[in-house]
Amino acid sequence: MAPNLTTTELEQMFMHNISNVLTLLQQIRDKDASQDEMLASNTNLDLMWVLTCGILVVFMQAGFSVLEAGCVSEKNLTNILFKNIMDMSISTICWFLVGYGVAFGDTTNGVIGTSNYAIQDLYNGSGNGGVGDDGWAFWFFQWAFAGTASTIVSGSIAERTKLQAYLIFTVFMTCFIYPVAVHWIWGQGFMSAFEANPDEHGVPRPLLSGTERSNGVLDFAGSGVVHIVGGVSGLVGAVLVGPRKDR
């Protein structure tokens, strides 16, 4: 039988129990806060890595410029350097207005994106305390590749095309040619590994077999999306304009 307790002793026991409960709740809150901080830290590290990789890709433009400057006549040096600068300038505008939407917009028959032009709907994770994917970081990373694909062609047809003609090609390359290839493999296109399996509602997004065993194409670093598209475009351009005279 429990001993008889005074009112004061009962109040002390009650307050002690309340204190234990509050301490336990505080520990739970601290644990949740720690998990949130860790999640935010991991997200920030991911964003830093994506931005760092994107910056390195942008610096490839300097390498392209030096390479192409060493392969052309001295009289064409200014022209080739100006073309590389204009490449990134034009590709930035085109990727913003059209290219990103074609590449990553909602798909039409798995062929081309038809939404999010001029990035009308782009989630910004930094506006949520740094938690979640940051659409601007992804946009920057993909823009760097778009400019690279276009610049590959610059060296292939150096000294054999007028500046105006090349700049017009850059517009088409960044708005349509390259973004369509991106949509097929990295977006919601018919070859995308990210869209090959049925979605959460069981709706199939097939490649070839049309079953859940469909795999899709996985291009991790752009060897197909960026370099094959840029290389084939450069090859076609070089064949069309022919060899350089006196070279």
Side-chain angles (χ1 to χ4, degrees):
M1 180 178 292
N4 294 327
L5 298 176
T6 64
T7 302
T8 301
E9 292 174 333
L10 288 172
E11 290 177 351
Q12 291 176 347
M13 289 182 61
F14 177 77
M15 294 303 299
H16 179 72
N17 290 334
I18 291 295
S19 176
N20 289 337
V21 171
L22 293 176
T23 301
L24 179 60
L25 291 175
Q26 184 62 45
Q27 291 175 348
I28 294 174
R29 283 196 297 267
D30 291 343
K31 182 179 180 180
D32 291 339
S34 177
Q35 290 177 343
D36 291 340
E37 291 174 359
M38 184 171 62
L39 178 61
S41 177
N42 290 340
T43 301
N44 290 333
L45 287 174
D46 290 343
L47 294 179
M48 183 179 70
W49 172 250
V50 171
L51 291 174
T52 300
C53 292
I55 291 170
L56 292 176
V57 175
V58 172
F59 269 102
M60 290 174 62
Q61 298 294 330
F64 284 132
S65 299
V66 174
L67 173 63
E68 294 170 18
C71 295
V72 301
S73 303
E74 184 177 355
K75 65 178 181 178
N76 293 317
L77 181 59
T78 302
N79 178 274
I80 197 70
L81 294 177
F82 181 72
K83 283 169 63 177
N84 278 273
I85 294 174
M86 292 304 296
D87 248 336
M88 295 306 293
S89 302
I90 292 176
S91 66
T92 301
I93 298 173
C94 293
W95 188 250
F96 177 85
L97 294 176
V98 180
Y100 186 82
V102 172
F104 296 102
D106 296 331
T107 189
T108 298
N109 299 322
V111 176
I112 188 172
T114 56
S115 66
N116 206 13
Y117 297 122
I119 50 178
Q120 297 172 352
D121 182 20
L122 191 64
Y123 176 72
N124 184 10
S126 61
N128 191 28
V131 179
D133 295 331
D134 193 302
W136 285 105
F138 182 74
W139 184 93
F140 170 78
F141 184 71
Q142 294 295 334
W143 160 76
F145 276 127
T148 299
S150 180
T151 306
I152 291 174
V153 184
S154 172
S156 302
I157 56 177
E159 297 187 309
R160 287 167 290 177
T161 56
K162 291 185 177 181
L163 177 62
Q164 296 91 327
Y166 176 75
L167 297 181
I168 292 173
F169 164 78
T170 300
V171 172
F172 281 94
M173 181 70 170
T174 315
C175 285
F176 302 107
I177 301 174
Y178 173 74
V180 168
V182 172
H183 186 77
W184 288 357
I185 298 177
W186 283 342
Q188 302 176 24
F190 69 99
M191 289 195 295
S192 175
F194 307 106
E195 302 294 335
N197 295 323
D199 61 18
E200 64 273 14
H201 304 294
V203 178
R205 294 171 291 191
L207 172 72
L208 302 180
S209 66
T211 68
E212 61 183 18
R213 298 187 63 181
S214 299
N215 294 317
V217 177
L218 185 61
D219 184 352
F220 179 73
S223 60
V225 177
V226 181
H227 296 287
I228 288 181
V229 173
V232 170
S233 299
L235 176 61
V236 172
V239 172
L240 290 176
V241 299
R244 288 177 286 178
K245 296 180 180 180
D246 303 323
R247 296 286 292 187

